[in-house]
Amino acid sequence: LTAAYFLTLMGHKAVVYEQRHKLGGMLRYGIPDYRLPPEILDRDIQYILDTGVETVMDSSVGKDVTMEELKRDYDAVYISIGAHDDKKLRIEGEDSINVVSAVQMLRGIGEGEIPDLKGKRVCVIGGGNVAMDATRTSLRLGASQVTCVYRRRVEDMTALPEEIDEAQTEGGHILSLHAPSRIEHDSEGKVTALWAQPQIISEVGRDGRPAPRSAASDPVRIPCDYIVVAIGQAIGSQYFETNGIETKRGAIQA
């Protein structure tokens, strides 16, 4: 939308192909309403559209329109697909019922699909701003208990300090230095607990943070009804890779 806005001001004709039913991308489908009210976002988007930007909604490149068609019909194509896929834990039980990614959870809420978390015990896995969003959103949806499980120390979390403070102020509990090891479920396949291996800090890595390693102690069982995985996001670049767009580790090379 930003690219289309400035291209339009420069005198070009810009058309935005949008995969979802509404414009806004991660601002609509990844940022909770309490942080960015929809009416504020809608106002900014309308300001962009008023310049003459055209949109094609509910259109997925590779499914509803091909790269060949875009190259044929336009003088240039700008790819800005964001990172709307989730990353996996790769642990036992990850496919259990009521294990969702934070991306999936927040996107569903953005589309009006509100999960019923009233009275539920929720585990959030991760230490970034999205993990804090998932923690605070779960509490606001009525969860009785929300535990954010993180494999490093609190001071190593990538979330902004104020986000961490606000999540704790709202009732979120942060269990640091614990790495998820497996997910326990009942006979119906529903989550019953997260097992986490206690960690100790080790050598400082290239990112300047001490790397965690397993402590010589038994795994801890954390009873829960719902698990939200917030360990990062991935780029859905597979279609572009197979259609001649150069990528490196899933990221489009520019």
Side-chain angles (χ1 to χ4, degrees):
L1 287 170
T2 302
Y5 170 76
F6 283 107
L7 285 166
T8 302
L9 294 187
M10 292 174 190
H12 301 292
K13 184 61 185 174
V15 181
V16 175
Y17 282 77
E18 168 57 43
Q19 184 183 54
R20 312 207 77 77
H21 189 60
K22 290 185 177 181
L23 295 169
M26 201 58 84
L27 293 180
R28 186 180 302 281
Y29 297 109
I31 304 295
D33 290 355
Y34 66 84
R35 284 182 58 193
L36 179 58
E39 58 270 20
I40 302 297
L41 177 61
D42 290 337
R43 186 184 66 191
D44 276 10
I45 291 173
Q46 191 58 51
Y47 186 86
I48 292 170
L49 297 178
D50 286 345
T51 64
V53 172
E54 288 186 12
T55 61
V56 181
M57 306 303 297
D58 299 301
S59 183
S60 179
V61 176
K63 179 182 174 184
D64 302 300
V65 62
T66 65
M67 279 299 297
E68 288 71 24
E69 290 173 315
L70 294 177
K71 289 178 180 179
R72 180 195 67 202
D73 296 340
Y74 297 93
D75 299 301
V77 179
Y78 178 73
I79 303 172
S80 53
I81 57 174
H84 290 265
D85 290 352
D86 53 68
K87 290 185 177 178
K88 303 299 183 183
L89 288 167
R90 304 187 191 284
I91 61 174
E92 179 188 341
E94 187 172 14
D95 295 328
S96 303
I97 298 170
N98 291 338
V99 177
V100 299
S101 70
V103 172
Q104 178 185 349
M105 173 187 179
L106 295 172
R107 178 191 299 150
I109 292 172
E111 293 180 332
E113 299 170 6
I114 312 299
D116 181 12
L117 298 183
K118 291 178 182 176
K120 301 286 178 62
R121 300 163 300 175
V122 178
C123 273
V124 176
I125 301 173
N129 286 321
V130 175
M132 297 303 99
D133 284 342
T135 297
R136 297 173 68 185
T137 297
S138 297
L139 289 164
R140 288 163 183 253
L141 291 177
S144 62
Q145 175 184 313
V146 181
T147 303
C148 181
V149 180
Y150 184 54
R151 65 193 183 104
R152 301 177 189 260
R153 303 172 301 176
V154 171
E155 53 264 45
D156 299 320
M157 294 176 79
T158 57
L160 296 171
E162 57 264 34
E163 294 290 333
I164 299 171
D165 291 343
E166 288 172 8
Q168 292 177 309
T169 299
E170 290 190 28
H173 172 63
I174 296 176
L175 179 63
S176 59
L177 288 171
H178 280 75
S181 56
R182 69 181 179 91
I183 294 171
E184 178 187 312
H185 59 77
D186 61 18
S187 58
E188 296 179 350
K190 293 181 179 179
V191 169
T192 53
L194 172 69
W195 286 83
Q197 176 63 45
Q199 305 286 294
I200 58 174
I201 56 173
S202 183
E203 296 82 10
V204 174
R206 277 188 248 176
D207 59 358
R209 296 184 297 165
R213 61 184 176 87
S214 295
S217 53
D218 295 332
V220 175
R221 184 180 185 272
I222 310 163
C224 59
D225 310 296
Y226 213 87
I227 293 177
V228 183
V229 181
I231 59 171
Q233 292 152 232
I235 302 166
S237 60
Q238 295 82 359
Y239 172 77
F240 298 95
E241 288 179 24
T242 57
N243 280 269
I245 305 296
E246 185 183 353
T247 63
K248 185 177 181 180
R249 289 193 292 274
I252 292 172
Q253 295 301 288

